[in-house]
Amino acid sequence: MKIAVIGQSLFGQEVYSHLRKEGHEIVGVFTIPDKDGKADPLGELADLMEQHQEELATIEALDAGAVYTLALKTHVGMSIQTFRYFAGWCDKIQGSTIPINQARPNRNLTLTKKEPVGVCGIIIPWNYPLMMLSWKTAACLAAGNTVVIKPAQVTPLTALKFAELTLKAGIPKGVINILPGSGSLVGQRLADHPDVRKIGFTGSTEVGKHIMKSCALSNVKKVSLELGGKSPLIIFADCDLSKAVQMGMSSVFFNKGENCIAAGRLFVEDSIHDQFVRRVVEEVGKMKIGNPLNRDTDHGPQNHQAHLNKLREYCQRGVREGATLVCGGNQVPRPGFFFEPTVFTDVEDHMFIAKEESFGPIMVISRFADGDMDGVLSRANATEFGLASGVFTRDINKALYVSDKLAAGTVFVNTYNKTDVAAPFGGFKQSGFGKDLGEAALNEYLRVKTVTFEY
Ligand code: TAP
């Protein structure tokens, strides 16, 4: 295996000679920053991505059906920010000194060092192809590792363009490797590989469980999992209704619902329920469905045929089980994988659409009785997922109480979908563990060594 090492003084000569002895070829030793503190390859990569942002957004629109304007701002824009953010971390990864053996002070010194884990595998889904790649790869490289990335089979193109840009940014061949291919072949091989020390995975809970098992059985590799969700959004009657409607729309229809933190279920307090539904349906009627490359399009095609079929079946099941289909529910009669923005009401807790993620533009609304805060909280938490959640209220006490009680990795208060490169992102329960973004993400790609001296 050809290995290029990135990271300053983190891999010592001993490690290099060990790798060589094992028959690996070290093709480059890369330091961030270099000796005079100048080299900033991750920053340079971010600059290059910015120079190519229109091209990357166009590829994302063609490959994933992402609406171009959103792709430019979010898919590509946040990817650039992510590399800039983690570029700043490269020279700030530090250990600590720890007083030990306090019964006999001044005899011992313990210090910790944070080391890169080694070769990492990154396996990502198709909904935000470049952004998911960037969230994991930037943290992984800043921590000093090398990486093998497997994009989703249906959306490999921005990853390949990204590979080209990494070479232009001066990152040596071998540091970043892109291996498109099927999950069962390429992804599985990465999870099983004895020389891979960490898998960062985003995708379904089912595949995540399988990967975790493979990581354990192969070489007990480190693993972090960002999995599915069915995120509850609670809208209290004392909210700013216009904002709740606007953000409620975004919580479901952003990126045509192909959004892991999409609000999978909206709980609306009885006294504003009908008004909320009426205003949401009005807004849905204004959405412009069309060619994702057009600058005025709000809602593009779903990612691929199988997903479109799944959405159709999901809606049919909702209707069969007795939920009220207020609007949508069908494929749009035009070429392409277009699915109508859909709203269901009268959704009861036992129904399939109340429990399972659609990953599409389908709003699922349930009522709760006026004033029944604890009742709605227990319904919101009655799910095996725990990725995100939200609450709309003008009452600060209620907002704090509800955000304490919601069992999810992220709680949005009077907003939704507000992720930031500096804020840790990741789920609870069967939505996985480990964080992307923020300082917390670095630790997913580091190991701590404890060094103890006696003197
Ligand atoms: P998955 O089917 O789980 O696929 C995700 C990735 O895993 C793909 O690259 C896939 O390869 C690969 N894979 C499949 N089988 C594998 C195996 N045996 N070993 C290793 N890799 C394997 O998910 P999806 O359908 O692409 O994405 C939708 C799901 O992702 C939803 O449930 C959604 O909630 C979740 N998601 C979660 C988040 C976060 S942050 N929590 C973000 C986005 C999406 P292929 O190319 O063959 O499919």
Side-chain angles (χ1 to χ4, degrees):
M1 185 190 284
K2 282 192 175 185
I3 296 180
V5 182
I6 191 167
Q8 176 171 258
S9 68
L10 293 168
F11 273 96
Q13 284 307 322
E14 231 177 280
V15 180
Y16 301 144
S17 47
H18 175 74
L19 288 169
R20 284 197 189 97
K21 237 185 275 159
E22 282 195 342
H24 302 297
E25 185 191 348
I26 310 286
V27 296
V29 178
F30 207 55
T31 58
I32 308 175
D34 71 5
K35 279 182 223 78
D36 24 69
K38 274 192 204 128
D40 175 21
L42 297 189
E44 253 166 64
L45 182 55
D47 291 347
L48 275 166
M49 287 167 78
E50 191 166 19
Q51 285 161 28
H52 289 82
Q53 60 181 337
E54 281 94 2
E55 189 183 353
L56 287 164
T58 305
I59 299 174
E60 213 69 309
L62 294 171
D63 204 23
V67 167
Y68 175 83
T69 47
L70 180 75
L72 193 62
K73 184 164 175 259
T74 303
H75 297 60
V76 180
M78 195 174 185
S79 301
I80 296 166
Q81 285 169 17
T82 304
F83 276 99
R84 291 228 164 93
Y85 172 80
F86 282 106
W89 270 110
C90 294
D91 55 0
K92 297 174 191 67
I93 296 170
Q94 298 167 353
S96 52
T97 54
I98 300 171
I100 62 158
N101 197 6
Q102 288 301 291
R104 300 187 69 211
N106 302 328
R107 301 270 176 191
N108 298 278
L109 170 68
T110 287
L111 55 89
T112 60
K113 291 171 149 190
K114 289 190 177 174
E115 300 181 339
V117 292
V119 179
C120 299
I122 285 177
I123 303 173
I124 47 176
W126 41 259
N127 60 333
Y128 294 109
L130 185 65
M131 198 168 85
M132 291 297 104
L133 175 153
S134 302
W135 283 14
K136 295 187 193 304
T137 304
C140 174
L141 294 181
N145 302 287
T146 55
V147 63
V148 183
I149 302 164
K150 193 210 89 66
Q153 304 186 57
V154 287
T155 53
L157 298 186
T158 36
L160 296 173
K161 181 70 198 173
F162 169 83
E164 194 186 304
L165 297 180
T166 64
L167 294 180
K168 276 197 191 155
I171 296 176
K173 281 184 183 169
V175 171
I176 299 173
N177 309 275
I178 315 271
L179 274 187
S182 81
S184 52
L185 205 70
V186 179
Q188 187 65 52
R189 183 79 182 107
L190 275 176
D192 287 338
H193 202 290
D195 291 337
V196 173
R197 295 290 166 200
K198 150 92 199 195
I199 293 286
F201 173 76
T202 292
S204 61
T205 298
E206 188 193 350
V207 174
K209 285 180 180 177
H210 178 79
I211 285 178
M212 191 171 166
K213 198 169 159 190
S214 302
C215 289
L217 293 179
S218 52
N219 58 344
V220 196
K221 54 176 75 67
K222 214 171 145 111
V223 61
S224 51
L225 304 172
E226 303 283 358
L227 309 176
K230 184 71 179 169
S231 303
L233 172 58
I234 303 174
I235 300 174
F236 287 102
D238 61 6
C239 69
D240 172 342
L241 188 60
S242 298
K243 182 133 191 246
V245 169
Q246 181 207 342
M247 297 313 298
M249 291 286 294
S250 160
S251 78
V252 175
F253 300 118
F254 194 80
N255 199 40
K256 355 141 212 166
E258 293 167 355
N259 184 16
C260 50
I261 54 170
R265 199 165 171 205
L266 277 66
F267 294 92
V268 185
E269 197 159 2
D270 200 34
S271 53
I272 58 158
H273 175 276
D274 294 353
Q275 204 185 346
F276 179 84
V277 172
R278 198 183 62 247
R279 288 183 60 173
V280 158
V281 173
E282 267 168 34
E283 291 302 315
V284 168
K286 292 181 202 159
M287 283 172 77
K288 190 140 194 235
I289 303 173
N291 183 342
L293 289 169
N294 291 345
R295 302 303 189 258
D296 60 347
T297 297
D298 298 311
H299 184 78
Q302 303 305 141
N303 192 283
H304 52 279
Q305 179 75 58
H307 186 48
L308 181 78
N309 298 344
K310 198 184 124 195
L311 296 180
R312 214 186 289 115
E313 283 158 26
Y314 187 93
C315 288
Q316 285 163 0
R317 190 145 176 195
V319 171
R320 265 203 317 276
E321 289 187 351
T324 304
L325 179 63
V326 184
C327 62
N330 282 306
Q331 185 173 357
V332 180
R334 57 173 289 162
F337 310 138
F338 292 90
F339 197 79
E340 294 171 335
T342 299
V343 178
F344 277 104
T345 56
D346 304 312
V347 178
E348 290 172 22
D349 297 359
H350 63 86
M351 293 177 181
F352 178 80
I353 64 170
K355 293 190 279 199
E356 296 298 326
E357 178 182 40
S358 73
F359 217 53
I362 302 172
M363 188 180 283
V364 171
I365 304 178
S366 302
R367 286 176 194 269
F368 67 97
D370 287 337
D372 187 14
M373 184 160 60
D374 286 320
V376 73
L377 272 169
S378 78
R379 290 170 72 195
N381 284 333
T383 165
E384 266 308 309
F385 295 116
L387 189 55
S389 59
V391 54
F392 277 81
T393 176
R394 284 195 171 99
D395 180 340
I396 182 72
N397 296 308
K398 209 187 264 184
L400 287 168
Y401 180 78
V402 169
S403 53
D404 277 352
K405 297 283 174 190
L406 281 168
T410 294
V411 184
F412 296 112
V413 180
N414 293 329
T415 185
Y416 209 88
N417 282 332
K418 200 181 272 282
T419 49
D420 189 279
V421 291
F425 177 99
F428 292 172
K429 301 196 278 186
Q430 293 199 35
S431 290
F433 55 84
K435 298 289 181 191
D436 280 325
L437 303 178
E439 184 181 357
L442 286 168
N443 292 325
E444 305 294 338
Y445 296 92
L446 291 165
R447 61 186 185 193
V448 176
K449 178 177 281 173
T450 304
V451 184
T452 294
F453 300 76
E454 187 175 284
Y455 55 92

